[in-house]
Amino acid sequence: MPWSKLSARQLLRRFLLGFFMVQTAAIASLMATTRVRKMLRGKGIEPLPRVEPRSFAVGDSNEANVYVNGAPLYEDMLAAIAQAEHRVLFESYIVKGDAMGRRFKRALIDAAARGVEVYVIYDGFANLVVRPSFYRFPPSVRVLRYPVLASGLRFWNPRNYGRDHRKILVVDDKIGFVGGYNVGQLYEDEWRDTHLALSGTAVWDLENAFIDFWNVHRPHEGIEQAIRPTWEPTIRAHRNIPKQLIFPIRGMYLEAIDRAQHTIELTTAYFIPDADILEALIDASRRGVQVRILLPRVSNHVVADFLARGFFNRLLDAGVEIWRYTDHMVHAKTATIDGEWSTVGTANIDRLSLTGNYEINLEIIDDEFAKGMRDVFADDVESAELLTAESWQGRPVVARLYEWVLKPLKPLL
């Protein structure tokens, strides 16, 4: 049919269909280019140097170890499981079926074999590429696979969407691990991430997060809380719970950014902020706060990279520093403000994390801990490039075109 005879509705339908096809082609080409680039680099990526955890006393009754390297983290997590006497609560968004994943699986099975109660939670969607046989455990290990899709009428309830993006390990109610690290060989020395190990009263928050999730999804196999909560003034856990439409991590960030007077240092793997968080960062910079954002130059999700680029103009115009981590993937989810306030957890600065997924972030108000996190940020900046307004304005026309084509996808990620 000639274009002149098409109705407005038909024209709009054809335009939307054509634009969707262009978006699909853009995504496919970006993913193909990224795959080729990875193949060409092959084993040329130098492993990250081993960095031992830094220990901090937090408040009157807690100790926090900060891990910025996967090797010592995995060693300590496996050692904790090996020494478990009563109970192990293990939850991870991704557990790869590689050598490292098999080590964790064996440690969990061995703990159950010696009489330890072992509970495992993993996200079904995130692990679709892992062979199902990898997740077959003996009956002594109780496993909850968070489903890819809700079944029956629950499919239509928005409370049942969002992935289980948390990474928690609690052993014997005494030590708890939380942060950005998934489990896999790749993350051991090729990804820069941040994780915490806590001992003290704050372990209750991590244990409670796991138990609440388990008991909601497996009420007939409920877990009892072993330790009592305390009102710890220096550490608070914030949990996003889609089932209850509760998303406090976003509010935590907005409140902290609004309080900032001197510095904001934010590290995130995927930076796709909503309008409120974007405006909060810009306002902070305009009132004289030094705002620095560290993100990967090239992440494992290239579409997210191009969506993030759509915010760079406004941020740079407002004086925000954008640092792009080179050579390796930075996957940490941390922030430090004014050398007093810090957060470490599982939530990225994007809609999926802040208003969609099950997430957990610790909010820590402690000067010494914040100083340690600022040192981590300073170390990371040494391996990053500062994006200047001049270099950004000089980016290729093709890159600008990709940014424009993908811009409508921002509300989805």
Side-chain angles (χ1 to χ4, degrees), residues 76-84 88 90 104 107-108 111 114 116 169 171:
D76 287 354
M77 291 174 72
L78 289 167
I81 296 172
Q83 295 164 15
V88 173
F90 175 76
F104 271 82
L108 294 166
R114 62 177 185 267
V116 176
L169 171 66
V171 177

Side-chain angles (χ1 to χ4, degrees), residues 306-321:
F306 271 84
L307 293 180
R309 293 161 67 106
F311 301 101
F312 289 177
N313 276 329
R314 291 196 61 197
L315 292 166
L316 292 170
D317 288 345
V320 174
E321 296 179 22

Side-chain angles (χ1 to χ4, degrees), residues 60-62 201-202 204-205 228-236:
D60 296 328
S61 58
N62 291 281
T201 56
W204 180 89
D205 290 295
R228 296 177 62 84
T230 61
W231 293 101
E232 171 57 65
T234 55
I235 302 180
R236 293 185 63 195

